[in-house]
Amino acid sequence: MTASWVLAVDTASPVVGAALRAPDGTSEHWSERVVRGADRRLVPAVAGLLAQADAAGAVIARLGVVVGPGAFTGLRVGVATVLGVATARGVPVVPLSSLRVRAAAAPGHAQVLALLDARKGRVYAGLFDTTGQTPVALADECDAPLAEVLPAAPFVAVGEGALVHADAIAAAGGRVLAGPASTAATAALLAACAPDGDALDAGDVALRYLRAPDAVPPGDLGRRIGDP
Amino acid sequence: MYVLGIETSCDETAAAVVGPSPDGAGSVVLADVIHSQEVHAEYGGVVPELASRSHAEKVVVTTRAALARAGIERPDVVAATAGPGLLGAVLVGLCYGKSLSAGFGVPFVGVNHLEGHLLSPLLEPDAPAWPFLALVVSGGHTTLYLARALGDYEVLASTVDDAAGEAYDKVSRMLGEGYPGGPILDRMAVGGDPTARELPRPVVRDRDSRAPTLDWSFSGLKTAVRQWLEADRVVSGADVARCFQDAVVDVLVDRVLRAADATGVRALAVSGGVAANSALRARLLDLHEAGRLRVTLPPRSRCTDNGAMIAHAGRLHALAGHLDPLDLGARAQWTPGT
């Protein structure tokens, strides 16, 4: 584990958050449910945590940010905010899965199904074993209907998507666990624990949408009016 | 004061650094880096989600390149476009710019994209003095302002439907040509016959008095092109491009001249992507040489969206003490000066 200060952000769900983790494992965190205008709340919160670190004479050695899956615009608000700090301070960034972060907050289970609501009747899902120090993926993260990602019982389900689909999860033999007080604080913990190779230059950080844009090229492009 | 400007309101990811001119009286561009998104061509127009994704991929490398070219490690101020534009696209640059300012520990200015265009001719050696007429004409906007001072702008005319550049895109598509339509039709028009067909020069009338206003309408012109193509399947694309372009330039110049007569202001600054159009530039320069207008035309590279105009507008506002808090939000609609 890196014995240094870490600042992390998670904006994959409507509850956005930021956290500052000290080398001794204590953390300051902020989170808020924001339906619109997450950037108006997030950037001042991140600036406040930066100021707090600066006032303590701390040097932030690593940033963590949830890069997906999740709501597209929300993810970009968080990533752009972290990239700004990374560019200004020259600090590397650990990109994190929203699903792994949520699974990490439920340690000690052989099967943790992390879910985020993906709308259109689908979920973003990841299945993890959390009996070790950090979550181990048991399957690729995916964008799918809930029925396709439910594992054999017993399992626990976490994440905002689990709350949305609590009845179906219970019917499949799963148990829904409440989320952590701050997913950003969990993100900061995972960023602190990540091996050095996972910390990327800001220019190399990529979002993981798991879903392509809806755009489809129009069929009449390149055809002049009147042409058959 | 050295200002880093970030622009992501549509399909250009841009960053620039603007600092003091050698005499200290004005501003000079030290670096201006633009990444133009080509992904939209196959869709025939900008796809907002693709634009946002591309901005998130390119904003760091673009910004670093601007800072490196300018030889600046830490700007004195960070400015970023806060609107108007595609909201998701604006948010990338705005969040990045705001957190850059927090990371550097320097002030932040949220810039109105249209004001950035409007003020960009002030970077030119033949910059207009206040007051001046400012024609901002692009794929998203067609507006004529009376600019009296920094932040004091009166809208004299605007389009009631399509922007001029949008009409170019749509006519290009009708002809089976590509996107963006402006430069394509501009090139095609060179060989076209201007007398092939008399296309309409639409007039927008006041609802009550029925008197002509200074506003524009391009949808009727676009419809006329469509009807022409439907009726005549062998007409040359060059002729269509030439007649369409002549009509667009005619109505743009007509309103500018009428506004100059009405206000008594003869200085005109032109900006926006359509300001790169060769026919519009030629017509305006003719009027300049004839003494009817005093025209400032930025180079073509400074007409389309760019970071320099955002850094420049941000610098002017910062020098005037106009700074913004980090809770400044993005605005899809925003009239300059409000």
Side-chain angles (χ1 to χ4, degrees):
Chain A
M1 184 177 296
T2 305
S4 57
W5 291 75
V6 176
L7 191 152
V9 164
D10 175 22
T11 55
S13 76
V15 180
V16 302
L20 177 67
R21 180 183 171 87
D24 64 5
T26 59
S27 70
E28 292 286 332
H29 57 83
W30 164 88
S31 66
E32 188 171 308
R33 177 172 290 278
V34 183
V35 178
R36 302 192 95 178
D39 69 300
R40 299 185 65 170
R41 306 290 298 143
L42 177 68
V43 180
V46 167
L49 293 172
L50 272 180
Q52 195 174 324
D54 291 345
V59 176
I60 293 172
R62 203 175 257 199
L63 297 162
V65 67
V66 168
V67 295
F72 299 163
T73 299
L75 289 173
R76 284 190 289 264
V77 164
V79 170
T81 299
V82 167
L83 293 181
V85 176
T87 306
R89 299 283 177 106
V91 179
V93 180
V94 178
L96 298 161
S97 154
S98 56
L99 302 169
R100 176 179 291 272
V101 164
R102 281 151 180 79
H109 297 279
Q111 288 194 111
V112 178
L113 180 64
L115 297 171
L116 284 172
D117 184 18
R119 304 195 177 186
K120 303 181 179 179
R122 301 169 72 90
V123 291
Y124 295 121
L127 187 64
F128 299 89
D129 175 347
T130 64
T131 54
Q133 193 172 15
T134 57
V136 174
L138 300 176
D140 290 341
E141 296 178 5
C142 62
D143 164 18
L146 177 68
E148 292 183 11
V149 300
L150 289 170
F155 66 96
V156 298
V158 295
E160 292 82 340
L163 302 175
V164 173
H165 298 284
D167 291 344
I169 290 166
R175 183 162 57 93
V176 175
L177 299 183
S182 167
T183 54
T186 312
L189 168 65
L190 286 184
C193 294
D196 286 343
D198 287 359
L200 306 179
D201 177 81
D204 296 328
V205 174
L207 283 110
R208 287 184 61 238
Y209 296 101
L210 288 192
R211 181 180 286 183
D214 284 336
V216 177
D220 63 347
L221 275 191
R223 193 185 311 152
R224 177 172 152 157
I225 286 179
D227 283 354
Chain B
M1 178 189 289
Y2 292 89
V3 179
L4 170 65
I6 312 283
E7 155 64 25
T8 63
S9 67
C10 190
D11 59 346
E12 317 275 5
T13 311
V17 177
V18 166
S21 57
D23 64 2
S27 300
V28 66
V29 180
L30 300 177
D32 191 7
V33 181
I34 299 177
H35 173 265
S36 296
Q37 302 175 0
E38 295 174 356
V39 65
H40 307 287
E42 65 177 294
Y43 296 89
V46 177
V47 179
E49 175 59 23
L50 291 175
S52 300
R53 290 187 179 200
S54 182
H55 288 311
E57 288 173 15
K58 299 296 182 186
V59 72
V60 172
V61 292
T62 306
T63 300
R64 281 179 172 166
L67 289 168
R69 285 183 201 177
I72 298 285
E73 287 189 4
R74 178 177 177 271
D76 299 308
V77 172
V78 176
T81 300
L86 303 170
L87 206 52
V90 171
L91 273 170
V92 174
L94 180 60
C95 290
Y96 182 69
K98 288 194 298 185
S99 77
L100 268 178
S101 85
F104 281 127
V106 301
F108 175 76
V109 178
V111 173
N112 180 303
H113 173 86
L114 295 173
E115 188 182 24
H117 274 305
L118 187 160
L119 296 173
S120 66
L122 296 178
L123 283 164
E124 301 307 315
D126 58 344
W130 308 97
F132 59 90
L133 300 174
L135 176 64
V136 180
V137 56
S138 68
H141 311 277
T142 303
T143 307
L144 180 64
Y145 302 89
L146 172 60
R148 297 189 183 91
L150 181 67
D152 183 0
Y153 316 117
E154 179 184 347
V155 175
L156 299 177
S158 60
T159 180
V160 297
D161 40 55
D162 292 343
E166 188 181 1
Y168 266 94
D169 292 338
K170 289 175 178 174
V171 168
S172 178
R173 187 162 166 181
M174 290 180 201
L175 288 168
E177 300 293 336
Y179 171 87
I184 292 170
L185 296 192
D186 199 7
R187 283 193 297 273
M188 288 176 70
V190 172
D193 176 4
T195 65
R197 176 170 289 216
E198 182 73 14
L199 290 171
R201 271 63 174 164
V203 172
V204 178
R205 295 185 180 278
D206 182 86
R207 194 173 293 175
D208 299 322
S209 70
R210 305 304 299 157
T213 71
L214 292 178
D215 289 336
W216 293 278
S217 168
F218 294 101
S219 67
L221 177 57
K222 196 179 58 186
T223 302
V225 171
R226 175 179 291 280
Q227 290 169 340
W228 184 8
L229 289 169
E230 287 170 345
D232 182 353
R233 295 190 174 187
V234 295
V235 63
S236 93
D239 288 354
V240 174
R242 177 61 188 269
C243 292
F244 169 75
Q245 178 149 286
D246 284 357
V248 171
V249 172
D250 278 355
V251 295
L252 288 173
V253 170
D254 172 72
R255 305 306 191 272
V256 167
L257 289 173
R258 286 169 51 199
D261 289 342
T263 60
V265 175
R266 295 282 156 192
L268 172 71
V270 190
S271 57
V274 179
N277 179 273
S278 60
L280 178 62
R281 294 175 80 90
R283 189 82 66 85
L284 291 173
L285 288 175
D286 284 347
L287 291 166
H288 178 86
E289 287 174 9
R292 296 186 67 187
L293 294 170
R294 184 182 176 282
V295 181
T296 302
L297 270 173
R300 284 182 166 83
S301 62
R302 203 54 59 66
C303 291
T304 49
D305 291 351
N306 61 86
M309 69 183 198
I310 302 306
H312 173 242
R315 185 169 189 271
L316 293 180
H317 279 290
L319 288 170
H322 306 157
L323 303 174
D324 288 304
L326 295 182
D327 66 355
L328 180 77
R331 297 166 71 170
Q333 306 291 329
W334 185 8
T335 301
T338 60

